[in-house]
Amino acid sequence: MAAKKSVPAKKVVVNLPQAAQNMRVWKFGDDIDTDAIIPGRFLTINNPDELAKHAFEGTRDEFAKKVKEGDAIVGGRNFGCGSSREHAPLALLGAGVRVVVARSFARIFFRNSINVGLLPVICLQADKIADGSKISLNIKKGSLESDGKQFKIEPVPEFMQGIIDAGGLVEYAKGLKEVPVCTKSRQ
Amino acid sequence: MGATIVEKIFSHKCGTEIRAGEVVMAPLDGAMIHDITGPIAIQKFYEMGGTKVFDPKRIIMLFDHQIPADSIEAASNHVYMRKFAAEQGIHNYDINEGVCHQVTIEKGRAAPGEIIVGADSHTCMYGAAGAFATGIGSTDMGFALRFGALYFKVPETIRAEVSGKFQKRVGAKDLILTIAADIGADGATYKAIEFTGKTVRKLDMAGRMTLCNMAIEMGGKAGIVAPDKVTWEYMKGRRKMKSFALASDEDAKFAEKRFYDASGLEPQVAIPHNVDTGVPVSKVVGTHIDQVFIGSCTNGRFEDLAEAADVLGKKKFNPNIRVIIIQASRDEYLKTLKAGLIEKFVKAGALVEAPCCGPCMGGAFGLLAPGEVSLSTSNRNFKGRQGSTEGKVYLCSPATAAASAITGVITDPREV
Ligand code: SF4
């Protein structure tokens, strides 16, 4: 079968930031798991704003108190590992975070983030970004600026770009009557 | 060039050759939701304009994380999901059957060659039944419920080949903790792990489930054991289907091959707060513990409890330790009950609960206070996973858990 492009969704809204300026950085280390982002005992909550009140509870208590709309999270390797709970990206969204930068992401968290409208950005030099510093993102140029330095960021897989352009998977799916089963997309 | 078992599953499903690295909208044989991730998935299904699920018979629904409802919020989530099940004609196992992954396999809802998704990271366990199964988030699940298909980047496969005979009191859990320490917490991200070799062939389904369950702890998209006699024997009475051949070709292209020798393997313990920290038990013998949990989808099967009971013998559990034992499902519970093990555990001082996730996720009961230490047969020891973020969780096999519950400190099960 010939490789077909994924069905393009109508461009509805772009609520993922293509360029976000001067975001204050909350820096985290390697292997930040979704239990740390939102502990299991809060998973009966489904509302992002309520979840946000408990983000990083017990591991970094000042986060929920001091995080501001437009702040960014920067992690190390394997950010978002562990449970598939979508409550994790939702809690961050509820806290006003729109961008998470990391050297690498755990698979489910990466995909969940794109699906709900939180932008995961892979930057191999994320370790060089300091806590409390400001970063600016330019997706189109494929770069991230931190303290006057430019870092390269990795492109998002093509089939996921369609979801980002739609503004998340819900918006992407709304326009579909059926899906092209077994067609291949370029990665 | 040959194909891996994962490439073959996708190729068969789509009737066209599909290779690792390709992105394909694959049809789903099953989709599993539970009480934690289900409510958001259903919400998303509606938000996407869904009215009817793709096929009610292919949806597996049950409650296991917070049962019986431990809060008004949990109870309300259950009500919401029951309503959805009734409206859509989905069979709901409700709170009666046990932990999602165990129930899915034992009810024959996962079979060789199938593609299954679950809104839970340990969905990779169905690889023990020869299925390609992976955990997804709730929005992806909303999409899956509506369309019965999902985009997959077909993963490359790491082949873990195991030879050698286990020593007494050493088994699948010790092996997977070793493999996790070797591959690392993100060493298999975006990849499948195929477990193979003579030692894996000799493992029963319970042991294979333990292996596949923890593929995600290395970031793995799926764990899988090629179906063989053991698998097909297990499928009998659970699923009407003829056996067929399904295995990786020897000349398939693997991401890498790793070899393990089970014969020299000591019992392993993963130390806090990561799963890839497995060390031989001898390194942590004598460590203080407050609570022992034997259960979860990783090690809550009859075989696990029989091993624990065997270690226990006629002894009693240490009265200073809280011992919590929970079967992974009602079927396993009944087997344990009929074998007289429950009476044995209760007499020895354990608290035996009805099948559910229990303290595994720190959501319901059995939580740790600050400073407390748990020794657990489950699959995660992240900070705060079982309660306080100032608590600690060590992971081990049922044999090591039982031995330690007797002495009151971490103990080598070969010496009890
Ligand atoms: S037993 Fe633990 S790991 Fe398994 S499904 Fe339940 S919470 Fe998840």
Side-chain angles (χ1 to χ4, degrees):
Chain A
M1 187 183 301
K4 273 194 202 159
K5 253 190 88 174
S6 59
V7 178
K10 255 196 337 216
K11 295 207 175 182
V12 198
V13 271
V14 180
N15 63 11
L16 282 170
Q18 286 292 314
Q21 306 297 315
N22 285 321
M23 297 177 285
R24 191 172 61 127
V25 168
W26 289 84
K27 182 72 183 290
F28 290 85
D30 291 342
D31 298 319
I32 297 299
D33 57 77
T34 52
D35 279 87
I37 300 171
I38 185 79
R41 60 189 181 281
F42 303 118
L43 299 185
T44 48
I45 306 172
N46 299 326
N47 174 322
D49 297 337
E50 287 300 312
L51 284 167
K53 292 181 187 159
H54 305 287
F56 295 106
E57 191 166 312
T59 47
R60 194 162 175 186
D61 287 332
E62 83 270 20
F63 178 84
K65 288 187 204 115
K66 298 199 182 137
V67 66
K68 293 216 168 60
E69 186 76 32
D71 286 358
I73 284 178
V74 178
R77 275 172 52 173
N78 202 24
F79 190 90
C81 61
S83 157
S84 70
R85 60 190 69 165
E86 211 157 281
H87 309 69
L90 288 179
L92 300 184
L93 273 181
V97 172
R98 293 285 172 277
V99 176
V100 183
V101 179
R103 278 176 63 194
S104 65
F105 288 91
R107 178 185 60 84
I108 307 177
F109 182 88
F110 186 80
R111 192 147 158 168
N112 284 351
S113 296
I114 287 179
N115 286 346
V116 301
L118 175 72
L119 187 67
V121 176
I122 299 171
C123 173
L124 298 178
Q125 287 137 321
D127 286 356
K128 301 210 173 105
I129 300 169
D131 189 42
S133 67
K134 296 273 170 78
I135 55 170
S136 295
L137 196 63
N138 194 323
I139 299 280
K140 286 217 176 77
K141 283 197 188 142
S143 71
L144 184 157
E145 192 199 303
S146 161
D147 286 335
K149 280 183 236 114
Q150 295 287 336
F151 297 125
K152 198 172 148 293
I153 60 176
E154 306 295 314
V156 175
E158 191 184 291
F159 78 104
M160 288 195 179
Q161 189 61 50
I163 296 168
I164 293 179
D165 291 345
L169 187 63
V170 169
E171 295 300 327
Y172 178 90
K174 267 184 192 168
L176 301 177
K177 284 238 151 37
E178 54 184 46
V179 294
V181 174
C182 285
T183 53
K184 296 180 190 178
S185 158
R186 266 177 285 155
Q187 52 165 304
Chain B
M1 194 181 52
T4 65
I5 181 166
V6 170
E7 290 170 327
K8 285 187 183 179
I9 291 175
F10 279 91
S11 300
H12 288 168
K13 276 281 152 223
C14 283
T16 179
E17 189 175 293
I18 295 174
R19 291 296 184 160
E22 290 187 298
V23 176
V24 62
M25 179 67 84
L28 302 173
D29 295 292
M32 187 282 296
I33 49 175
H34 59 54
D35 49 349
I36 295 286
T37 53
I40 301 183
I42 295 169
Q43 239 167 287
K44 300 286 178 179
F45 165 82
Y46 287 128
E47 283 173 27
M48 286 173 193
T51 49
K52 279 272 154 218
V53 295
F54 74 105
D55 183 354
K57 288 199 190 62
R58 292 186 187 274
I59 294 163
I60 303 138
M61 184 198 284
L62 50 74
F63 311 146
D64 54 355
H65 283 63
Q66 286 168 307
I67 61 143
D70 57 8
S71 64
I72 295 166
E73 289 79 14
S76 307
N77 282 340
H78 295 170
V79 168
Y80 180 67
M81 289 184 70
R82 281 187 196 113
K83 198 171 147 253
F84 182 72
E87 167 194 310
Q88 298 286 337
I90 298 166
H91 176 74
N92 178 15
Y93 294 105
D94 215 283
I95 67 168
N96 311 70
E97 292 292 347
V99 180
C100 52
H101 308 307
Q102 178 65 26
V103 174
T104 299
I105 299 183
E106 82 188 13
K107 298 286 178 200
R109 308 286 299 261
E114 294 193 327
I115 299 177
I116 302 173
V117 293
D120 189 288
S121 60
H122 294 103
T123 300
C124 52
M125 189 169 106
Y126 317 161
F132 176 86
T134 193
I136 60 173
S138 295
T139 304
D140 266 338
M141 182 53 83
F143 190 94
L145 292 176
R146 179 161 176 217
F147 297 111
L150 206 59
Y151 268 127
F152 290 89
K153 183 170 175 187
V154 178
E156 290 185 291
T157 299
I158 296 176
R159 196 167 226 215
E161 192 170 326
V162 192
S163 59
K165 196 166 171 272
F166 288 116
Q167 297 174 46
K168 193 165 187 219
R169 304 285 182 232
V170 181
K173 183 60 165 291
D174 305 295
L175 174 62
I176 195 64
L177 288 176
T178 308
I179 295 177
D182 180 44
I183 292 182
D186 61 352
T189 305
Y190 283 101
K191 300 190 176 85
I193 306 174
E194 182 185 0
F195 301 99
T196 180
K198 280 203 181 111
T199 311
V200 175
R201 292 280 147 242
K202 285 222 173 97
L203 278 180
D204 53 19
M205 283 295 284
R208 294 173 182 198
M209 289 186 214
T210 304
L211 292 184
C212 292
N213 178 279
M214 291 189 69
I216 181 67
E217 308 312 333
M218 292 157 266
K221 189 163 187 168
I224 193 161
V225 175
D228 59 9
K229 261 199 244 150
V230 175
T231 326
W232 292 113
E233 194 55 42
Y234 184 87
M235 294 314 294
K236 271 189 201 156
R238 299 175 201 272
R239 185 69 171 263
K240 269 203 191 102
M241 65 194 295
K242 282 216 176 80
S243 68
F244 55 88
L246 178 64
S248 293
D249 295 323
E250 282 312 311
D251 62 342
K253 189 169 162 247
F254 292 100
E256 54 180 316
K257 286 185 185 174
R258 292 187 182 232
F259 298 90
Y260 301 91
D261 182 2
S263 58
L265 191 64
E266 269 191 57
Q268 300 286 308
V269 176
I271 58 178
H273 299 282
N274 280 309
V275 184
D276 59 355
T277 55
V279 294
V281 65
S282 50
K283 289 235 167 92
V284 286
V285 155
T287 304
H288 166 89
I289 48 176
D290 299 288
Q291 178 166 300
V292 169
F293 168 45
I294 305 179
S296 85
C297 53
T298 322
N299 281 121
R301 284 167 280 281
F302 172 73
E303 289 82 349
D304 300 314
L305 300 183
E307 173 82 355
D310 199 44
V311 171
L312 178 63
K314 292 198 162 43
K315 299 187 190 68
K316 292 248 180 293
F317 291 126
N318 188 304
N320 298 323
I321 307 284
R322 308 185 295 270
V323 182
I324 303 172
I325 299 180
I326 310 182
Q327 291 80 3
S329 74
R330 188 165 66 130
D331 283 7
E332 299 302 300
Y333 185 74
L334 283 169
K335 276 192 247 171
T336 316
L337 187 72
K338 281 186 195 142
L341 304 187
I342 296 198
E343 186 178 347
K344 200 171 169 182
F345 290 137
V346 173
K347 279 191 175 152
L351 183 66
V352 182
E353 294 281 337
C356 68
C357 295
C360 175
M361 194 201 59
F365 54 83
L367 305 186
L368 300 180
E372 283 199 313
V373 182
S374 159
L375 181 67
S376 174
T377 67
S378 56
N379 45 35
R380 285 196 178 132
N381 56 355
F382 300 154
K383 226 181 208 175
R385 173 81 180 177
Q386 292 185 5
S388 170
T389 45
E390 288 156 54
K392 283 185 185 163
V393 182
Y394 291 79
L395 304 176
C396 68
S397 71
T400 303
S404 308
I406 296 164
T407 59
V409 291
I410 293 182
T411 299
D412 188 330
R414 297 168 299 178
E415 284 164 15
V416 172

